[in-house]
Amino acid sequence: MSTTQPIKDRNDLELLKGYYRDVCPNPRNYALISTGINTALRISDILSLRWRDVCDLPFRSFRRHISIIERKTKKTACIAINRSLSQALSLYLNTLPAPCPEDYIFHKTYPETPDVPLSRSQAFRIIKRACSRLALPEHISCHSLRKTFGYHAWAAGANPTVLMVIYNHSSFSVTKRYLGIEQEDKDNIFLNLNL
């Protein structure tokens, strides 16, 4: 059985983000992928998001944070909505005729079923379809989006303790395995830091 991996290569990440934005336009799917890589939420939590969680719909103004209770841990997560995420959600929101605050963001066909979220298997197929068409590594899944956030945060110099807190891990060794930090990643630090 293979282990899902983060998308480490920045070019691969840009290809995946751009697939549903540029190649096979689908604003919902683009927003789904953007939400995964910008929030570090599990797919079950992403699929449970409603418009009220991210946006004040009458003003079409995005909130500063997403605040939810994670399904798995039952802990409250407060996640800042960054520019990339607000742009992706805004692009998607602008394609919808008149969403209600209670509508799921990632729902089945609109407008027929805004009260029925996408299933995990449908989200998996959305990601796998893009990866297959782009010839990206086969070990990418919904959970890869969550791992990708942490990997790139770590690579950009994020404090490992903060990543442990974000992921609710008990130690950095767990976080390190989770992010797929390998010898190549360690080598790059030594080779690129010429003091």
Side-chain angles (χ1 to χ4, degrees), residues 30-151:
Y30 169 60
L32 176 72
I33 290 169
S34 292
T35 302
I37 61 177
N38 284 291
T39 65
L41 287 171
R42 290 175 186 84
I43 195 65
S44 59
D45 293 320
I46 292 170
L47 297 177
S48 71
L49 289 173
R50 297 175 188 264
W51 282 109
R52 68 168 186 245
D53 297 322
V54 300
C55 185
D56 184 359
L57 280 177
F59 300 102
R60 295 211 173 217
S61 170
F62 285 93
R63 302 189 189 294
R64 293 187 60 196
H65 294 88
I66 298 170
S67 183
I68 65 164
I69 296 174
E70 294 179 335
R71 288 181 172 205
K72 182 176 181 179
T73 65
K74 306 296 184 233
K75 294 181 180 177
T76 299
C78 185
I79 300 151
I81 297 176
N82 65 24
R83 187 181 65 241
S84 294
L85 179 55
S86 67
Q87 288 174 345
L89 289 170
S90 181
L91 176 74
Y92 174 38
L93 180 61
N94 289 334
T95 67
L96 302 176
C100 296
E102 295 303 311
D103 290 351
Y104 286 101
I105 298 173
F106 306 108
H107 52 76
K108 297 189 180 207
T109 354
Y110 197 83
E112 297 85 18
T113 57
D115 57 339
V116 179
L118 280 176
S119 66
R120 291 172 60 106
S121 58
Q122 181 62 25
F124 176 79
R125 284 191 297 272
I126 288 167
I127 292 164
K128 291 306 273 187
R129 183 180 311 119
C131 290
S132 173
R133 302 253 165 85
L134 295 167
L136 296 178
E138 66 180 56
H139 301 305
I140 296 174
S141 69
C142 296
H143 210 59
S144 295
L145 304 180
R146 178 172 159 85
K147 290 182 173 189
T148 297
F149 168 86
Y151 178 82

